[in-house]
Amino acid sequence: MSETSAPATASAPEPTPVEAVIIGAGPVGLFQIFELGLLGINAHIIDSLPVVGGQCTELYPEKPIYDIPALPVCGAQELIDRLLEQAKPFKATFHLGQEVTEVKPLPDGKILIATAAGTRLSAGAVVIAAGVGSFQPRRLSLPDIEQFEGKSVHYRVKTAADFYGRDLVICGGGDSALDWTVALCEKARSLTLVHRRAEFRAAPATVARMRELVAAGKMQLVEGHAAAIHSDDHGGGTPKLTGIVLQTNDGTTTLQVAADHVLAFFGLHPKLGPVAEWGLELEKKALKVDTEKFQTSVPGIFAIGDINTYPGKKKLILSGFHEAALTAFAIQHHLFPEKRQFLQYTTTSPIMQKRLGVAGAGTH
């Protein structure tokens, strides 16, 4: 459910009291809904994007993920869909397309959360699950590139089938570039991978597969960079991309290759944005947390997923799920310090099964 709020006026309305607020609707933020729900805690979740899913949905919805427990392979969008289904019993309220502009502790111990759209919430606890913060792909730096972006020059793949039977040029040397090179090579009419160096930052097995495809004559690899674009622009109408001029690293060879589409994967510009102004302790543009509660330097404000840092931190979705579980127990204690905590299991706990809507579904 998406909520559109009225813009804030000069006299800001009283904030709506809620139990917990999650900032960021990526996979880790969605799993936090589930973990809080198991403990009987209702959540509101806010994201600046108009849809849930974070980077999974925005940047690589069809990219396969192989390290989710019990799912040998799972598409990124499929993972988001499964997490939403899992969290459905807990009826979280979603505020989408809203950037959080303010997170401020209040005198009564609650935390004020305000968005640019005018939403104002007073929460007992806040979980920041904002990934790398706001992110923008690093763009292809070529003259007049703007008129082709989103049409024939792309920084993400939403539907792989759009590129079948086409002449493709893929730029980059990381996982995204190599993953899509391998995935699209035998489905494209032609494919050229362009990278500035001989070394790649992608998984060794994917790099090895790419080199096999080159050796088999199914694609070409150019060590160099895109230098110019060619189009059929003759002064009228919308220009159509027809090719890319490539400059090899030695500076002596210029190639022109046919291209219907260019996919450029140069990574992201991670920007903390307003998070940096919320008075939380930072270390290398990440929020410092402890490993017992995943609490930040401000009591009642927690951080999970790629936006946090602690000794031994690994930026994996799997690690974020673990952090969400421990954070939920920490929030339960923060909200209800007098309540004795018991570790209950979904397989045997009647209370948890009732919350999940599966009470009496099995025998134990």
Side-chain angles (χ1 to χ4, degrees):
M1 173 173 77
S2 176
E3 176 181 297
T4 303
S5 304
T9 59
S11 56
E14 283 295 309
T16 302
V18 299
E19 285 188 312
V21 168
I22 302 163
I23 300 171
V28 175
L30 295 178
F31 190 63
Q32 187 71 78
I33 297 172
F34 177 79
E35 287 295 319
L36 287 170
L38 286 178
L39 299 179
I41 299 168
N42 182 257
H44 284 237
I45 186 163
I46 307 172
D47 201 288
S48 60
L49 297 173
V51 294
V52 300
Q55 293 184 49
C56 284
T57 295
E58 277 296 290
L59 299 180
Y60 44 83
E62 294 189 14
K63 183 176 179 179
I65 301 173
Y66 299 99
D67 60 351
I68 303 300
L71 295 174
V73 60
C74 182
Q77 184 60 54
E78 178 192 357
L79 177 64
I80 296 303
D81 294 342
R82 286 173 176 268
L83 286 164
L84 278 170
E85 183 68 24
Q86 187 179 38
K88 188 183 291 184
F90 304 117
K91 298 179 173 57
T93 300
F94 287 82
H95 308 266
L96 301 177
Q98 301 191 36
E99 183 178 47
V100 175
T101 54
E102 187 177 13
V103 173
K104 184 175 73 174
L106 297 171
D108 63 359
K110 300 292 181 67
I111 299 152
L112 172 68
I113 301 94
T115 76
T119 298
R120 291 169 60 81
L121 304 173
S122 170
V126 173
V127 183
I128 301 172
V132 291
S134 61
F135 51 86
Q136 294 294 325
R138 301 180 195 275
R139 299 170 62 231
L140 197 60
S141 180
L142 294 175
D144 302 319
I145 196 68
E146 296 84 359
Q147 59 189 320
F148 299 99
E149 290 175 323
K151 303 181 185 76
S152 49
V153 173
H154 313 270
Y155 302 110
R156 61 189 177 191
V157 173
K158 283 212 165 181
T159 306
D162 291 344
F163 305 102
Y164 293 177
R166 306 297 188 115
D167 294 313
L168 305 181
V169 172
I170 297 181
C171 303
D175 282 315
S176 293
L178 271 292
D179 286 346
W180 284 117
T181 294
V182 170
L184 293 171
C185 179
E186 297 186 271
K187 294 183 171 68
R189 182 164 52 210
S190 70
L191 191 147
T192 301
L193 175 63
V194 186
H195 184 44
R196 289 180 177 272
R197 294 179 294 279
E199 300 79 26
F200 291 86
R201 303 182 311 280
T206 314
V207 176
R209 176 60 183 150
M210 177 272 294
R211 295 197 186 280
E212 289 174 2
L213 292 167
V214 173
K218 295 181 178 180
M219 59 168 284
Q220 69 171 329
L221 170 64
V222 175
E223 194 176 323
H225 64 276
I229 51 178
H230 272 221
S231 71
D232 64 357
D233 181 15
H234 301 295
T238 304
K240 181 182 177 183
L241 182 74
T242 58
I244 293 289
V245 177
L246 305 176
Q247 180 75 55
T248 57
N249 277 353
D250 58 16
T252 60
T253 306
T254 300
L255 306 171
Q256 181 174 336
V257 298
D260 297 315
H261 294 277
V262 176
L263 307 177
F265 299 108
F266 300 134
L268 304 172
H269 287 294
K271 296 180 180 178
L272 275 181
V275 178
E277 302 163 9
W278 295 343
L280 306 171
E281 187 177 354
L282 294 167
E283 181 179 295
K284 295 181 179 177
K285 298 184 180 180
L287 297 172
K288 287 186 70 173
V289 295
D290 63 70
T291 52
E292 178 191 2
K293 302 175 182 177
F294 296 95
Q295 186 167 252
T296 67
S297 56
V298 176
I301 301 179
F302 304 80
I304 60 174
D306 287 357
I307 202 162
N308 78 13
T309 186
Y310 53 85
K313 169 72 179 183
K314 298 292 183 289
K315 291 191 176 185
L316 298 169
I317 295 175
L318 175 67
S319 301
F321 289 165
H322 159 78
E323 295 164 12
L326 293 190
T327 296
F329 283 100
I331 288 175
Q332 184 188 49
H333 182 69
H334 180 79
L335 295 178
F336 312 107
E338 73 291 341
K339 187 174 182 179
R340 191 175 172 191
Q341 284 189 320
F342 296 96
L343 181 61
Q344 300 184 75
Y345 301 99
T346 56
T347 51
T348 56
S349 166
I351 294 173
M352 286 193 169
Q353 290 176 2
K354 185 176 181 181
R355 289 169 182 161
L356 285 165
V358 295
T363 58
H364 312 292

